[in-house]
Amino acid sequence: MLRDTEDSFIAEYLKNVEKDRDSLGDLDLDVPFEDQLETILNATKNTIEFCYAHKKEIQLLLSDNGDTRFYNMIFHTGCEEIMKRMSQMKHIDELKMDEKDQMRMMISVQVFVHSIIGMVRVLLEYSDRLAPYDVRQSILAFLRESPIASMNINKK
């Protein structure tokens, strides 16, 4: 029963993540980073609203007595989503990355996703006092230190 509940949750979660990804369009690396962050922030609306609507389930499944499988599913889904979004960015194919740069990027993405899961978990504790917009603003502040921002990748 738990497995079915988690699988169903992940399927619905992915639908909202995909809606958000579709709203991203072509993220332009040539615009100032603050403008990029605003675009990224707007591409979390459906996901954050979904999290608010399923607050109790998320809190239970991510609690100390929750299910590690669920956490791992969210983690892997988050990592895959970031990589999909990065691959859709305008001019991404012009970035020059050697094997070491790619490894650093993957490590940054993994640490970032763990951090975002923790952040959403904490912010849901305050959801009776914070609107989804406030949560997105908190995420915006956090995104200033995202894997993309912290990478020093040279264009060709």
Side-chain angles (χ1 to χ4, degrees), residues 3-156:
R3 187 176 287 265
D4 289 343
T5 300
E6 290 173 346
D7 290 344
S8 176
F9 178 92
I10 293 293
E12 286 300 312
Y13 170 76
L14 283 173
K15 287 179 187 175
N16 286 281
V17 167
E18 288 171 11
K19 284 183 208 172
D20 284 337
R21 184 182 342 118
D22 291 343
S23 74
L24 249 179
D26 292 327
L27 185 59
D28 190 348
L29 294 176
D30 294 329
V31 300
F33 188 66
E34 282 297 316
D35 295 340
Q36 293 176 38
L37 287 178
E38 193 64 34
T39 301
I40 292 167
L41 176 68
N42 290 331
T44 62
K45 185 178 180 183
N46 293 302
T47 304
I48 296 300
E49 288 178 3
F50 176 80
C51 290
Y52 261 68
H54 295 86
K55 173 186 169 180
K56 294 293 183 197
E57 295 97 315
I58 293 170
Q59 288 174 320
L60 180 64
L61 290 167
L62 292 179
S63 72
D64 291 341
N65 295 320
D67 183 27
T68 304
R69 177 182 178 267
F70 179 74
Y71 184 92
N72 289 334
M73 289 170 64
I74 292 291
F75 172 74
H76 291 293
T77 300
C79 290
E80 289 172 6
E81 183 59 26
I82 287 178
M83 297 310 293
K84 285 178 187 175
R85 288 181 183 210
M86 287 175 64
S87 71
Q88 291 179 342
M89 295 168 71
K90 189 175 182 181
H91 305 302
I92 195 76
D93 56 337
E94 296 173 15
L95 295 177
K96 184 177 168 184
M97 290 183 9
D98 61 20
E99 186 177 343
K100 201 171 193 176
D101 289 333
Q102 291 174 4
M103 187 182 341
R104 277 191 224 134
M105 182 183 66
M106 286 308 303
I107 291 167
S108 293
V109 166
Q110 291 172 351
V111 169
F112 179 73
V113 170
H114 280 301
S115 299
I116 285 289
I117 292 169
M119 182 177 191
V120 168
R121 185 178 172 194
V122 168
L123 290 171
L124 285 175
E125 292 292 324
Y126 298 96
S127 65
D128 58 333
R129 291 170 279 176
L130 293 174
Y133 175 81
D134 299 320
V135 170
R136 291 198 325 270
Q137 289 300 311
S138 296
I139 291 171
L140 175 61
F142 184 76
L143 284 173
R144 287 186 174 90
E145 299 301 322
S146 72
I148 297 168
S150 65
M151 289 173 54
N152 186 14
I153 300 174
N154 301 318
K155 286 190 176 186
K156 289 182 184 175

